[in-house]
Amino acid sequence: LDKEKHLQLAEHISGDSTVSHALAYAQAIESMQGLTVTDRAKYLRVIYAEMERVANHLNDIGFIMLDTAFAFGGANGGRLREMVMQLAEKLTGSRFMRKTVIIGGVSHDISEEDLSNLSLQLKNIEVDFNEVIKIAEKSITLAQRVENTGKLKLQIAKDYGVVGVPLRALGVARDARKDFAYAAYAKLNFSVATRTEGDVSARMWVKIYEVYTSIALIRAAIEQLPKGPVSVAATKELAANACGVGIVEGWRGDIVYVVKTDTHGKVSRVKVRDPSFLNWQAFPHVVEGEMVPDFPLCNKSFN
């Protein structure tokens, strides 16, 4: 398979992380080619990646609440996620934004009218989401089910190399968007959301904070979006015996791609490390000693 076919495969490794996986692979190839994408493409990559994060976090937050029998939260999580998915489809033609990230940039530009609409719709979603969270905070039964449930110890997290939301819920502000500053993240001001309790509640609140952060990032990217092309031509051939690495902060945690070529410059090896490969190894320590009905809460808080 050539590198473009590999990109299509990357999009399907984790269906809800289409943008993140494709971006990690594309960045690995771009590093091998010495390819620098345009500034506009960098900002658009941020917009698409953060839309993916928002949609998935809204889904998880809703399901965590639903698994405590707080149906109001579950229904609204699904409703708000659907609003983001419809925005994604309007902008890219795909609810999961497939074939949007390409080697050398992105395939879909966003018109000024659509950018204005996206900013407005996200503001409405944020207001709506904020109201849902305010109501959820008043639910004593929700708090009782998620607090001190499924606690992960920091040392276990370190031993297993846990990444993403579960690690940030233990107070470790590790985030590839900051640590490796790909796309346009270095030009956008944001803080890494953390909690310290390491339980289901902490992981849920990290997701909640990240929804607000992602919406703010998208709106900032829209305001700062430069003019210009959205892609540059990628060279067809890769150097022989070369190696490239791509790292992206997916919504579950950081995604890593290592791409190698053979003596003929053909891709000979693609090593993919999805965050779940690490996080699932630590998961048994989270559910140990918990009652069976708490398994779905622990599961969805990690996803």
Side-chain angles (χ1 to χ4, degrees), residues 6 8 41 43 47 95 97 103 110 117 148 155 184 200-201 230 257 286:
H6 284 149
Q8 292 178 27
Y43 278 89
I47 290 171
R95 289 167 59 82
M97 295 177 281
I103 298 168
I110 306 178
N117 180 63
N148 297 311
Q155 189 57 52
V200 170
S201 177
V230 299
Y257 274 65
V286 172

Side-chain angles (χ1 to χ4, degrees), residues 49-68:
E50 295 306 318
M51 286 181 67
E52 182 174 81
R53 193 183 318 278
V54 170
N56 284 297
H57 279 342
L58 288 173
N59 197 49
D60 269 7
I61 293 162
F63 268 106
I64 290 171
M65 293 183 184
L66 187 63
D67 286 338
T68 70

Side-chain angles (χ1 to χ4, degrees), residues 78-219:
R79 177 180 63 84
L80 292 170
R81 172 184 181 268
E82 178 61 23
M83 292 171 69
V84 179
M85 299 293 279
Q86 289 184 12
L87 281 171
E89 185 172 28
K90 185 177 188 300
L91 294 176
T92 69
S94 167
R95 289 167 59 82
F96 292 96
M97 295 177 281
R98 291 193 176 125
K99 298 183 179 180
T100 297
V101 174
I102 60 174
I103 298 168
V106 295
S107 61
H108 296 278
D109 200 352
I110 306 178
S111 69
E112 291 299 322
E113 181 181 354
D114 284 340
L115 286 169
S116 178
N117 180 63
L118 175 60
S119 184
L120 176 61
Q121 292 302 317
L122 286 174
K123 182 178 180 180
N124 293 337
I125 289 170
E126 182 178 30
V127 170
D128 208 343
F129 177 64
N130 193 47
E131 185 66 23
V132 171
I133 297 304
K134 284 183 177 179
I135 294 171
E137 284 185 284
K138 297 176 182 178
S139 172
I140 296 174
T141 55
L142 173 62
Q144 288 176 335
R145 287 296 306 282
V146 297
E147 291 176 1
N148 297 311
T149 299
K151 295 195 77 169
L152 177 65
K153 295 180 180 179
L154 180 58
Q155 189 57 52
I156 289 176
K158 290 180 177 179
D159 290 344
Y160 284 92
V162 167
V163 297
V165 171
L167 186 63
R168 293 194 283 274
L170 286 164
V172 182
R174 188 174 299 162
D175 189 313
R177 295 173 296 175
K178 283 281 191 182
D179 300 337
F180 299 100
Y182 57 92
Y185 286 109
K187 299 178 182 179
L188 297 166
N189 184 34
F190 70 101
S191 299
V192 177
T194 60
R195 294 278 288 213
T196 58
E197 302 88 344
D199 55 8
V200 170
S201 177
R203 293 187 286 273
M204 181 181 75
W205 276 101
V206 168
K207 293 172 188 284
I208 290 169
Y209 297 152
E210 288 193 3
V211 168
Y212 290 122
T213 299
S214 292
I215 290 175
L217 276 169
I218 295 169
R219 297 182 70 191

